[in-house]
Amino acid sequence: MKLFLDTANIDEISEAAATGVLDGITTNPSLIAREGHDLEDQLIKICAVVDGPVSAEVVSTDFEGMVAEGRRLAEIHSNIVVKCPMTLDGLKATRALSDDDIPVNVTLVFSAAQAIFAAKAGAQFVSPFIGRLDDIATDGMSLIGDIVGIYDNYGYDTEVLAASIRGPMHVVEAARAGADVCTLPLKVFRQLLKHPLTDIGLANFLRDWEAMAVKVAGSG
Ligand code: G3P
């Protein structure tokens, strides 16, 4: 499973990229707005840090606007993936951009039916929002398994990108369900590699090693 970071913050991206396990980035208009910089400048900076897909979302809501915006975004860097919302116009724009070999991530997906449409429109990625479904007392994770199963039934190439991830178990469960990608906030990225038994085990190993070194030095 690929791991993406869900942020437009360069410090966060640099920290995650330094681990060597970061495969890409997803942004959305809210995350870009939080940084307060020009969109194009920010995307260029992100693409300089991460060698992988970088999703950048259109803000137009009509077909022509989305296609024009998507083409402009795609020109910024070869790693840009254009994010289109799961609307009728977004679906048409996904088809048009995909036909032009511009990769599209269909976002704001909340049902398997929407995911079928995204795949049929040629999307490179589909982004079901797990956490936002959980927020309304719906089982977000079951959607990942549903989509993976349906895509397998028909051999769709669209990658299932689990989004709106709120904690480490979302990542583990998405992996169990067969998600191709998980996009995480930095907080979850950091939490994933921690285990108290690792820390305790390492402290014990080092304590024993030190004790042996003291013993050897004393016997010599
Ligand atoms: O980038 C899309 C998605 O990951 C947003 O997550 O936490 O705002 O629901 P969240």
PDB file of all heavy atoms in Angstrom, residues 61-101:
ATOM      1  N   THR A  61     -16.557  24.770 -10.706  1.00  0.00           N
ATOM      2  CA  THR A  61     -17.596  23.758 -10.508  1.00  0.00           C
ATOM      3  C   THR A  61     -18.278  23.376 -11.824  1.00  0.00           C
ATOM      4  O   THR A  61     -19.072  22.441 -11.850  1.00  0.00           O
ATOM      5  CB  THR A  61     -18.660  24.256  -9.506  1.00  0.00           C
ATOM      6  OG1 THR A  61     -19.145  25.522  -9.960  1.00  0.00           O
ATOM      7  CG2 THR A  61     -18.074  24.380  -8.104  1.00  0.00           C
ATOM      8  N   ASP A  62     -17.955  24.088 -12.913  1.00  0.00           N
ATOM      9  CA  ASP A  62     -18.531  23.739 -14.214  1.00  0.00           C
ATOM     10  C   ASP A  62     -17.516  22.956 -15.042  1.00  0.00           C
ATOM     11  O   ASP A  62     -16.300  23.065 -14.823  1.00  0.00           O
ATOM     12  CB  ASP A  62     -18.941  25.020 -14.965  1.00  0.00           C
ATOM     13  CG  ASP A  62     -17.741  25.886 -15.268  1.00  0.00           C
ATOM     14  OD1 ASP A  62     -17.053  26.313 -14.304  1.00  0.00           O
ATOM     15  OD2 ASP A  62     -17.436  26.101 -16.453  1.00  0.00           O
ATOM     16  N   PHE A  63     -18.027  22.171 -15.986  1.00  0.00           N
ATOM     17  CA  PHE A  63     -17.184  21.288 -16.786  1.00  0.00           C
ATOM     18  C   PHE A  63     -16.030  22.030 -17.469  1.00  0.00           C
ATOM     19  O   PHE A  63     -14.862  21.662 -17.311  1.00  0.00           O
ATOM     20  CB  PHE A  63     -18.061  20.577 -17.830  1.00  0.00           C
ATOM     21  CG  PHE A  63     -17.289  19.878 -18.912  1.00  0.00           C
ATOM     22  CD1 PHE A  63     -16.582  18.715 -18.631  1.00  0.00           C
ATOM     23  CD2 PHE A  63     -17.263  20.387 -20.206  1.00  0.00           C
ATOM     24  CE1 PHE A  63     -15.859  18.062 -19.626  1.00  0.00           C
ATOM     25  CE2 PHE A  63     -16.549  19.750 -21.206  1.00  0.00           C
ATOM     26  CZ  PHE A  63     -15.843  18.582 -20.913  1.00  0.00           C
ATOM     27  N   GLU A  64     -16.383  23.116 -18.213  1.00  0.00           N
ATOM     28  CA  GLU A  64     -15.326  23.816 -18.967  1.00  0.00           C
ATOM     29  C   GLU A  64     -14.263  24.377 -18.025  1.00  0.00           C
ATOM     30  O   GLU A  64     -13.063  24.296 -18.289  1.00  0.00           O
ATOM     31  CB  GLU A  64     -15.909  24.968 -19.809  1.00  0.00           C
ATOM     32  CG  GLU A  64     -16.704  24.539 -21.024  1.00  0.00           C
ATOM     33  CD  GLU A  64     -18.160  24.178 -20.696  1.00  0.00           C
ATOM     34  OE1 GLU A  64     -18.561  24.364 -19.509  1.00  0.00           O
ATOM     35  OE2 GLU A  64     -18.871  23.705 -21.599  1.00  0.00           O
ATOM     36  N   GLY A  65     -14.736  24.961 -16.926  1.00  0.00           N
ATOM     37  CA  GLY A  65     -13.802  25.551 -15.955  1.00  0.00           C
ATOM     38  C   GLY A  65     -12.884  24.494 -15.357  1.00  0.00           C
ATOM     39  O   GLY A  65     -11.673  24.712 -15.212  1.00  0.00           O
ATOM     40  N   MET A  66     -13.453  23.342 -15.013  1.00  0.00           N
ATOM     41  CA  MET A  66     -12.634  22.279 -14.412  1.00  0.00           C
ATOM     42  C   MET A  66     -11.583  21.770 -15.392  1.00  0.00           C
ATOM     43  O   MET A  66     -10.432  21.537 -15.011  1.00  0.00           O
ATOM     44  CB  MET A  66     -13.516  21.092 -14.006  1.00  0.00           C
ATOM     45  CG  MET A  66     -14.328  21.316 -12.767  1.00  0.00           C
ATOM     46  SD  MET A  66     -15.103  19.740 -12.309  1.00  0.00           S
ATOM     47  CE  MET A  66     -16.527  20.333 -11.464  1.00  0.00           C
ATOM     48  N   VAL A  67     -11.993  21.608 -16.645  1.00  0.00           N
ATOM     49  CA  VAL A  67     -11.039  21.087 -17.641  1.00  0.00           C
ATOM     50  C   VAL A  67      -9.910  22.098 -17.866  1.00  0.00           C
ATOM     51  O   VAL A  67      -8.723  21.726 -17.864  1.00  0.00           O
ATOM     52  CB  VAL A  67     -11.753  20.741 -18.967  1.00  0.00           C
ATOM     53  CG1 VAL A  67     -10.735  20.394 -20.055  1.00  0.00           C
ATOM     54  CG2 VAL A  67     -12.713  19.565 -18.757  1.00  0.00           C
ATOM     55  N   ALA A  68     -10.288  23.380 -17.994  1.00  0.00           N
ATOM     56  CA  ALA A  68      -9.258  24.407 -18.225  1.00  0.00           C
ATOM     57  C   ALA A  68      -8.313  24.471 -17.027  1.00  0.00           C
ATOM     58  O   ALA A  68      -7.075  24.505 -17.186  1.00  0.00           O
ATOM     59  CB  ALA A  68      -9.926  25.762 -18.465  1.00  0.00           C
ATOM     60  N   GLU A  69      -8.893  24.464 -15.836  1.00  0.00           N
ATOM     61  CA  GLU A  69      -8.079  24.525 -14.617  1.00  0.00           C
ATOM     62  C   GLU A  69      -7.192  23.277 -14.495  1.00  0.00           C
ATOM     63  O   GLU A  69      -6.019  23.361 -14.131  1.00  0.00           O
ATOM     64  CB  GLU A  69      -9.026  24.598 -13.418  1.00  0.00           C
ATOM     65  CG  GLU A  69      -8.569  25.513 -12.315  1.00  0.00           C
ATOM     66  CD  GLU A  69      -9.529  25.455 -11.146  1.00  0.00           C
ATOM     67  OE1 GLU A  69     -10.745  25.671 -11.339  1.00  0.00           O
ATOM     68  OE2 GLU A  69      -9.061  25.164 -10.055  1.00  0.00           O
ATOM     69  N   GLY A  70      -7.791  22.125 -14.782  1.00  0.00           N
ATOM     70  CA  GLY A  70      -7.036  20.871 -14.701  1.00  0.00           C
ATOM     71  C   GLY A  70      -5.850  20.883 -15.644  1.00  0.00           C
ATOM     72  O   GLY A  70      -4.751  20.443 -15.280  1.00  0.00           O
ATOM     73  N   ARG A  71      -6.059  21.405 -16.847  1.00  0.00           N
ATOM     74  CA  ARG A  71      -4.948  21.450 -17.812  1.00  0.00           C
ATOM     75  C   ARG A  71      -3.833  22.362 -17.298  1.00  0.00           C
ATOM     76  O   ARG A  71      -2.654  22.052 -17.423  1.00  0.00           O
ATOM     77  CB  ARG A  71      -5.451  21.932 -19.175  1.00  0.00           C
ATOM     78  CG  ARG A  71      -6.323  20.890 -19.858  1.00  0.00           C
ATOM     79  CD  ARG A  71      -6.407  21.110 -21.372  1.00  0.00           C
ATOM     80  NE  ARG A  71      -7.164  20.018 -21.954  1.00  0.00           N
ATOM     81  CZ  ARG A  71      -8.351  20.135 -22.554  1.00  0.00           C
ATOM     82  NH1 ARG A  71      -8.910  21.326 -22.694  1.00  0.00           N
ATOM     83  NH2 ARG A  71      -8.974  19.079 -23.040  1.00  0.00           N
ATOM     84  N   ARG A  72      -4.253  23.514 -16.703  1.00  0.00           N
ATOM     85  CA  ARG A  72      -3.241  24.447 -16.165  1.00  0.00           C
ATOM     86  C   ARG A  72      -2.468  23.786 -15.022  1.00  0.00           C
ATOM     87  O   ARG A  72      -1.243  23.882 -14.939  1.00  0.00           O
ATOM     88  CB  ARG A  72      -3.913  25.737 -15.668  1.00  0.00           C
ATOM     89  CG  ARG A  72      -4.234  26.745 -16.776  1.00  0.00           C
ATOM     90  CD  ARG A  72      -4.474  28.130 -16.220  1.00  0.00           C
ATOM     91  NE  ARG A  72      -5.566  28.162 -15.258  1.00  0.00           N
ATOM     92  CZ  ARG A  72      -6.861  28.264 -15.572  1.00  0.00           C
ATOM     93  NH1 ARG A  72      -7.227  28.340 -16.834  1.00  0.00           N
ATOM     94  NH2 ARG A  72      -7.783  28.320 -14.632  1.00  0.00           N
ATOM     95  N   LEU A  73      -3.191  23.114 -14.141  1.00  0.00           N
ATOM     96  CA  LEU A  73      -2.517  22.444 -13.008  1.00  0.00           C
ATOM     97  C   LEU A  73      -1.531  21.393 -13.513  1.00  0.00           C
ATOM     98  O   LEU A  73      -0.407  21.292 -13.017  1.00  0.00           O
ATOM     99  CB  LEU A  73      -3.553  21.781 -12.096  1.00  0.00           C
ATOM    100  CG  LEU A  73      -4.402  22.709 -11.226  1.00  0.00           C
ATOM    101  CD1 LEU A  73      -5.553  21.932 -10.577  1.00  0.00           C
ATOM    102  CD2 LEU A  73      -3.558  23.387 -10.148  1.00  0.00           C
ATOM    103  N   ALA A  74      -1.948  20.632 -14.515  1.00  0.00           N
ATOM    104  CA  ALA A  74      -1.099  19.545 -15.040  1.00  0.00           C
ATOM    105  C   ALA A  74       0.184  20.083 -15.666  1.00  0.00           C
ATOM    106  O   ALA A  74       1.203  19.375 -15.711  1.00  0.00           O
ATOM    107  CB  ALA A  74      -1.876  18.711 -16.043  1.00  0.00           C
ATOM    108  N   GLU A  75       0.131  21.332 -16.145  1.00  0.00           N
ATOM    109  CA  GLU A  75       1.327  21.913 -16.755  1.00  0.00           C
ATOM    110  C   GLU A  75       2.376  22.324 -15.724  1.00  0.00           C
ATOM    111  O   GLU A  75       3.542  22.522 -16.051  1.00  0.00           O
ATOM    112  CB  GLU A  75       0.944  23.147 -17.590  1.00  0.00           C
ATOM    113  CG  GLU A  75       0.476  22.768 -18.987  1.00  0.00           C
ATOM    114  CD  GLU A  75      -0.145  23.948 -19.727  1.00  0.00           C
ATOM    115  OE1 GLU A  75       0.048  25.106 -19.287  1.00  0.00           O
ATOM    116  OE2 GLU A  75      -0.840  23.694 -20.724  1.00  0.00           O
ATOM    117  N   ILE A  76       1.957  22.448 -14.472  1.00  0.00           N
ATOM    118  CA  ILE A  76       2.889  22.913 -13.433  1.00  0.00           C
ATOM    119  C   ILE A  76       4.012  21.902 -13.225  1.00  0.00           C
ATOM    120  O   ILE A  76       5.170  22.249 -13.081  1.00  0.00           O
ATOM    121  CB  ILE A  76       2.128  23.174 -12.106  1.00  0.00           C
ATOM    122  CG1 ILE A  76       1.175  24.361 -12.289  1.00  0.00           C
ATOM    123  CG2 ILE A  76       3.105  23.424 -10.951  1.00  0.00           C
ATOM    124  CD1 ILE A  76       0.237  24.589 -11.107  1.00  0.00           C
ATOM    125  N   HIS A  77       3.658  20.608 -13.214  1.00  0.00           N
ATOM    126  CA  HIS A  77       4.680  19.565 -12.994  1.00  0.00           C
ATOM    127  C   HIS A  77       4.115  18.230 -13.473  1.00  0.00           C
ATOM    128  O   HIS A  77       2.918  17.985 -13.362  1.00  0.00           O
ATOM    129  CB  HIS A  77       5.034  19.494 -11.507  1.00  0.00           C
ATOM    130  CG  HIS A  77       6.284  18.716 -11.214  1.00  0.00           C
ATOM    131  ND1 HIS A  77       6.320  17.338 -11.192  1.00  0.00           N
ATOM    132  CD2 HIS A  77       7.548  19.134 -10.936  1.00  0.00           C
ATOM    133  CE1 HIS A  77       7.551  16.941 -10.908  1.00  0.00           C
ATOM    134  NE2 HIS A  77       8.323  18.001 -10.749  1.00  0.00           N
ATOM    135  N   SER A  78       4.996  17.378 -13.955  1.00  0.00           N
ATOM    136  CA  SER A  78       4.533  16.077 -14.489  1.00  0.00           C
ATOM    137  C   SER A  78       3.946  15.165 -13.404  1.00  0.00           C
ATOM    138  O   SER A  78       3.266  14.188 -13.717  1.00  0.00           O
ATOM    139  CB  SER A  78       5.679  15.363 -15.207  1.00  0.00           C
ATOM    140  OG  SER A  78       6.762  15.207 -14.316  1.00  0.00           O
ATOM    141  N   ASN A  79       4.226  15.459 -12.116  1.00  0.00           N
ATOM    142  CA  ASN A  79       3.678  14.619 -11.044  1.00  0.00           C
ATOM    143  C   ASN A  79       2.300  15.070 -10.555  1.00  0.00           C
ATOM    144  O   ASN A  79       1.721  14.428  -9.674  1.00  0.00           O
ATOM    145  CB  ASN A  79       4.632  14.582  -9.839  1.00  0.00           C
ATOM    146  CG  ASN A  79       5.799  13.627 -10.078  1.00  0.00           C
ATOM    147  OD1 ASN A  79       5.752  12.811 -10.990  1.00  0.00           O
ATOM    148  ND2 ASN A  79       6.827  13.750  -9.283  1.00  0.00           N
ATOM    149  N   ILE A  80       1.797  16.173 -11.115  1.00  0.00           N
ATOM    150  CA  ILE A  80       0.494  16.665 -10.642  1.00  0.00           C
ATOM    151  C   ILE A  80      -0.627  15.728 -11.088  1.00  0.00           C
ATOM    152  O   ILE A  80      -0.700  15.318 -12.256  1.00  0.00           O
ATOM    153  CB  ILE A  80       0.202  18.093 -11.174  1.00  0.00           C
ATOM    154  CG1 ILE A  80       1.200  19.102 -10.581  1.00  0.00           C
ATOM    155  CG2 ILE A  80      -1.247  18.512 -10.875  1.00  0.00           C
ATOM    156  CD1 ILE A  80       1.013  19.428  -9.123  1.00  0.00           C
ATOM    157  N   VAL A  81      -1.493  15.404 -10.134  1.00  0.00           N
ATOM    158  CA  VAL A  81      -2.730  14.667 -10.401  1.00  0.00           C
ATOM    159  C   VAL A  81      -3.862  15.655 -10.137  1.00  0.00           C
ATOM    160  O   VAL A  81      -3.901  16.282  -9.071  1.00  0.00           O
ATOM    161  CB  VAL A  81      -2.864  13.450  -9.455  1.00  0.00           C
ATOM    162  CG1 VAL A  81      -4.203  12.761  -9.633  1.00  0.00           C
ATOM    163  CG2 VAL A  81      -1.719  12.469  -9.696  1.00  0.00           C
ATOM    164  N   VAL A  82      -4.750  15.812 -11.100  1.00  0.00           N
ATOM    165  CA  VAL A  82      -5.835  16.792 -10.955  1.00  0.00           C
ATOM    166  C   VAL A  82      -6.971  16.161 -10.152  1.00  0.00           C
ATOM    167  O   VAL A  82      -7.459  15.073 -10.491  1.00  0.00           O
ATOM    168  CB  VAL A  82      -6.346  17.246 -12.334  1.00  0.00           C
ATOM    169  CG1 VAL A  82      -7.523  18.205 -12.170  1.00  0.00           C
ATOM    170  CG2 VAL A  82      -5.218  17.899 -13.124  1.00  0.00           C
ATOM    171  N   LYS A  83      -7.368  16.873  -9.085  1.00  0.00           N
ATOM    172  CA  LYS A  83      -8.465  16.369  -8.254  1.00  0.00           C
ATOM    173  C   LYS A  83      -9.767  17.010  -8.716  1.00  0.00           C
ATOM    174  O   LYS A  83      -9.884  18.238  -8.751  1.00  0.00           O
ATOM    175  CB  LYS A  83      -8.201  16.752  -6.801  1.00  0.00           C
ATOM    176  CG  LYS A  83      -8.168  15.606  -5.823  1.00  0.00           C
ATOM    177  CD  LYS A  83      -7.829  16.149  -4.438  1.00  0.00           C
ATOM    178  CE  LYS A  83      -8.048  15.112  -3.372  1.00  0.00           C
ATOM    179  NZ  LYS A  83      -7.810  15.665  -2.029  1.00  0.00           N
ATOM    180  N   CYS A  84     -10.723  16.176  -9.075  1.00  0.00           N
ATOM    181  CA  CYS A  84     -12.045  16.674  -9.477  1.00  0.00           C
ATOM    182  C   CYS A  84     -13.085  16.145  -8.495  1.00  0.00           C
ATOM    183  O   CYS A  84     -13.031  14.966  -8.108  1.00  0.00           O
ATOM    184  CB  CYS A  84     -12.417  16.160 -10.873  1.00  0.00           C
ATOM    185  SG  CYS A  84     -11.460  16.889 -12.210  1.00  0.00           S
ATOM    186  N   PRO A  85     -14.040  17.002  -8.101  1.00  0.00           N
ATOM    187  CA  PRO A  85     -15.077  16.518  -7.186  1.00  0.00           C
ATOM    188  C   PRO A  85     -16.049  15.572  -7.883  1.00  0.00           C
ATOM    189  O   PRO A  85     -16.247  15.641  -9.098  1.00  0.00           O
ATOM    190  CB  PRO A  85     -15.788  17.802  -6.751  1.00  0.00           C
ATOM    191  CG  PRO A  85     -15.576  18.752  -7.884  1.00  0.00           C
ATOM    192  CD  PRO A  85     -14.236  18.411  -8.483  1.00  0.00           C
ATOM    193  N   MET A  86     -16.660  14.695  -7.092  1.00  0.00           N
ATOM    194  CA  MET A  86     -17.585  13.682  -7.628  1.00  0.00           C
ATOM    195  C   MET A  86     -18.964  14.304  -7.898  1.00  0.00           C
ATOM    196  O   MET A  86     -19.941  14.018  -7.207  1.00  0.00           O
ATOM    197  CB  MET A  86     -17.676  12.532  -6.625  1.00  0.00           C
ATOM    198  CG  MET A  86     -18.532  11.369  -7.031  1.00  0.00           C
ATOM    199  SD  MET A  86     -17.981  10.586  -8.524  1.00  0.00           S
ATOM    200  CE  MET A  86     -19.434  10.693  -9.507  1.00  0.00           C
ATOM    201  N   THR A  87     -18.983  15.169  -8.911  1.00  0.00           N
ATOM    202  CA  THR A  87     -20.245  15.768  -9.363  1.00  0.00           C
ATOM    203  C   THR A  87     -20.420  15.371 -10.823  1.00  0.00           C
ATOM    204  O   THR A  87     -19.498  14.807 -11.430  1.00  0.00           O
ATOM    205  CB  THR A  87     -20.186  17.305  -9.261  1.00  0.00           C
ATOM    206  OG1 THR A  87     -19.088  17.756 -10.100  1.00  0.00           O
ATOM    207  CG2 THR A  87     -19.948  17.766  -7.825  1.00  0.00           C
ATOM    208  N   LEU A  88     -21.571  15.714 -11.396  1.00  0.00           N
ATOM    209  CA  LEU A  88     -21.785  15.404 -12.815  1.00  0.00           C
ATOM    210  C   LEU A  88     -20.727  16.085 -13.676  1.00  0.00           C
ATOM    211  O   LEU A  88     -20.103  15.451 -14.538  1.00  0.00           O
ATOM    212  CB  LEU A  88     -23.197  15.841 -13.234  1.00  0.00           C
ATOM    213  CG  LEU A  88     -23.562  15.577 -14.689  1.00  0.00           C
ATOM    214  CD1 LEU A  88     -23.473  14.086 -15.022  1.00  0.00           C
ATOM    215  CD2 LEU A  88     -24.963  16.102 -14.988  1.00  0.00           C
ATOM    216  N   ASP A  89     -20.496  17.381 -13.426  1.00  0.00           N
ATOM    217  CA  ASP A  89     -19.476  18.093 -14.198  1.00  0.00           C
ATOM    218  C   ASP A  89     -18.080  17.560 -13.895  1.00  0.00           C
ATOM    219  O   ASP A  89     -17.221  17.457 -14.784  1.00  0.00           O
ATOM    220  CB  ASP A  89     -19.548  19.601 -13.936  1.00  0.00           C
ATOM    221  CG  ASP A  89     -20.696  20.247 -14.695  1.00  0.00           C
ATOM    222  OD1 ASP A  89     -21.840  19.759 -14.561  1.00  0.00           O
ATOM    223  OD2 ASP A  89     -20.460  21.224 -15.429  1.00  0.00           O
ATOM    224  N   GLY A  90     -17.857  17.187 -12.627  1.00  0.00           N
ATOM    225  CA  GLY A  90     -16.564  16.624 -12.236  1.00  0.00           C
ATOM    226  C   GLY A  90     -16.298  15.312 -12.958  1.00  0.00           C
ATOM    227  O   GLY A  90     -15.172  15.021 -13.364  1.00  0.00           O
ATOM    228  N   LEU A  91     -17.357  14.539 -13.139  1.00  0.00           N
ATOM    229  CA  LEU A  91     -17.237  13.260 -13.837  1.00  0.00           C
ATOM    230  C   LEU A  91     -16.894  13.484 -15.317  1.00  0.00           C
ATOM    231  O   LEU A  91     -16.005  12.825 -15.874  1.00  0.00           O
ATOM    232  CB  LEU A  91     -18.557  12.512 -13.711  1.00  0.00           C
ATOM    233  CG  LEU A  91     -18.523  11.032 -14.019  1.00  0.00           C
ATOM    234  CD1 LEU A  91     -17.726  10.269 -12.944  1.00  0.00           C
ATOM    235  CD2 LEU A  91     -19.937  10.484 -14.111  1.00  0.00           C
ATOM    236  N   LYS A  92     -17.595  14.446 -15.915  1.00  0.00           N
ATOM    237  CA  LYS A  92     -17.311  14.745 -17.333  1.00  0.00           C
ATOM    238  C   LYS A  92     -15.886  15.266 -17.483  1.00  0.00           C
ATOM    239  O   LYS A  92     -15.176  14.919 -18.433  1.00  0.00           O
ATOM    240  CB  LYS A  92     -18.284  15.813 -17.841  1.00  0.00           C
ATOM    241  CG  LYS A  92     -19.723  15.339 -17.973  1.00  0.00           C
ATOM    242  CD  LYS A  92     -20.518  16.501 -18.547  1.00  0.00           C
ATOM    243  CE  LYS A  92     -21.998  16.304 -18.491  1.00  0.00           C
ATOM    244  NZ  LYS A  92     -22.748  17.531 -18.802  1.00  0.00           N
ATOM    245  N   ALA A  93     -15.465  16.117 -16.540  1.00  0.00           N
ATOM    246  CA  ALA A  93     -14.100  16.664 -16.593  1.00  0.00           C
ATOM    247  C   ALA A  93     -13.075  15.538 -16.400  1.00  0.00           C
ATOM    248  O   ALA A  93     -12.021  15.527 -17.053  1.00  0.00           O
ATOM    249  CB  ALA A  93     -13.921  17.733 -15.517  1.00  0.00           C
ATOM    250  N   THR A  94     -13.396  14.580 -15.555  1.00  0.00           N
ATOM    251  CA  THR A  94     -12.504  13.427 -15.334  1.00  0.00           C
ATOM    252  C   THR A  94     -12.299  12.674 -16.642  1.00  0.00           C
ATOM    253  O   THR A  94     -11.179  12.322 -17.021  1.00  0.00           O
ATOM    254  CB  THR A  94     -13.094  12.484 -14.258  1.00  0.00           C
ATOM    255  OG1 THR A  94     -13.196  13.218 -13.040  1.00  0.00           O
ATOM    256  CG2 THR A  94     -12.243  11.248 -14.053  1.00  0.00           C
ATOM    257  N   ARG A  95     -13.404  12.447 -17.357  1.00  0.00           N
ATOM    258  CA  ARG A  95     -13.317  11.758 -18.653  1.00  0.00           C
ATOM    259  C   ARG A  95     -12.448  12.544 -19.633  1.00  0.00           C
ATOM    260  O   ARG A  95     -11.550  12.000 -20.283  1.00  0.00           O
ATOM    261  CB  ARG A  95     -14.731  11.578 -19.213  1.00  0.00           C
ATOM    262  CG  ARG A  95     -14.823  10.998 -20.592  1.00  0.00           C
ATOM    263  CD  ARG A  95     -14.777   9.485 -20.590  1.00  0.00           C
ATOM    264  NE  ARG A  95     -13.409   8.958 -20.565  1.00  0.00           N
ATOM    265  CZ  ARG A  95     -13.069   7.737 -20.195  1.00  0.00           C
ATOM    266  NH1 ARG A  95     -13.937   6.875 -19.768  1.00  0.00           N
ATOM    267  NH2 ARG A  95     -11.825   7.345 -20.226  1.00  0.00           N
ATOM    268  N   ALA A  96     -12.712  13.870 -19.713  1.00  0.00           N
ATOM    269  CA  ALA A  96     -11.993  14.699 -20.698  1.00  0.00           C
ATOM    270  C   ALA A  96     -10.504  14.766 -20.362  1.00  0.00           C
ATOM    271  O   ALA A  96      -9.648  14.610 -21.248  1.00  0.00           O
ATOM    272  CB  ALA A  96     -12.599  16.101 -20.724  1.00  0.00           C
ATOM    273  N   LEU A  97     -10.182  14.974 -19.094  1.00  0.00           N
ATOM    274  CA  LEU A  97      -8.769  15.089 -18.704  1.00  0.00           C
ATOM    275  C   LEU A  97      -8.067  13.735 -18.856  1.00  0.00           C
ATOM    276  O   LEU A  97      -6.935  13.679 -19.347  1.00  0.00           O
ATOM    277  CB  LEU A  97      -8.659  15.597 -17.255  1.00  0.00           C
ATOM    278  CG  LEU A  97      -9.108  17.055 -17.052  1.00  0.00           C
ATOM    279  CD1 LEU A  97      -9.296  17.359 -15.562  1.00  0.00           C
ATOM    280  CD2 LEU A  97      -8.115  18.041 -17.667  1.00  0.00           C
ATOM    281  N   SER A  98      -8.732  12.668 -18.451  1.00  0.00           N
ATOM    282  CA  SER A  98      -8.128  11.323 -18.577  1.00  0.00           C
ATOM    283  C   SER A  98      -7.866  10.997 -20.041  1.00  0.00           C
ATOM    284  O   SER A  98      -6.839  10.395 -20.383  1.00  0.00           O
ATOM    285  CB  SER A  98      -9.044  10.259 -17.961  1.00  0.00           C
ATOM    286  OG  SER A  98      -9.255  10.515 -16.603  1.00  0.00           O
ATOM    287  N   ASP A  99      -8.798  11.386 -20.909  1.00  0.00           N
ATOM    288  CA  ASP A  99      -8.601  11.145 -22.350  1.00  0.00           C
ATOM    289  C   ASP A  99      -7.388  11.901 -22.883  1.00  0.00           C
ATOM    290  O   ASP A  99      -6.810  11.521 -23.905  1.00  0.00           O
ATOM    291  CB  ASP A  99      -9.863  11.543 -23.136  1.00  0.00           C
ATOM    292  CG  ASP A  99     -10.974  10.501 -22.988  1.00  0.00           C
ATOM    293  OD1 ASP A  99     -10.699   9.409 -22.439  1.00  0.00           O
ATOM    294  OD2 ASP A  99     -12.119  10.793 -23.393  1.00  0.00           O
ATOM    295  N   ASP A 100      -7.036  13.001 -22.190  1.00  0.00           N
ATOM    296  CA  ASP A 100      -5.833  13.771 -22.565  1.00  0.00           C
ATOM    297  C   ASP A 100      -4.600  13.263 -21.819  1.00  0.00           C
ATOM    298  O   ASP A 100      -3.586  13.979 -21.737  1.00  0.00           O
ATOM    299  CB  ASP A 100      -6.024  15.250 -22.214  1.00  0.00           C
ATOM    300  CG  ASP A 100      -6.864  15.965 -23.250  1.00  0.00           C
ATOM    301  OD1 ASP A 100      -7.220  15.342 -24.263  1.00  0.00           O
ATOM    302  OD2 ASP A 100      -7.165  17.159 -23.035  1.00  0.00           O
ATOM    303  N   ASP A 101      -4.710  12.090 -21.204  1.00  0.00           N
ATOM    304  CA  ASP A 101      -3.598  11.508 -20.419  1.00  0.00           C
ATOM    305  C   ASP A 101      -3.201  12.351 -19.218  1.00  0.00           C
ATOM    306  O   ASP A 101      -2.041  12.319 -18.775  1.00  0.00           O
ATOM    307  CB  ASP A 101      -2.363  11.256 -21.301  1.00  0.00           C
ATOM    308  CG  ASP A 101      -2.613  10.114 -22.273  1.00  0.00           C
ATOM    309  OD1 ASP A 101      -3.371   9.185 -21.914  1.00  0.00           O
ATOM    310  OD2 ASP A 101      -2.069  10.168 -23.391  1.00  0.00           O
TER     311      ASP A 101
END
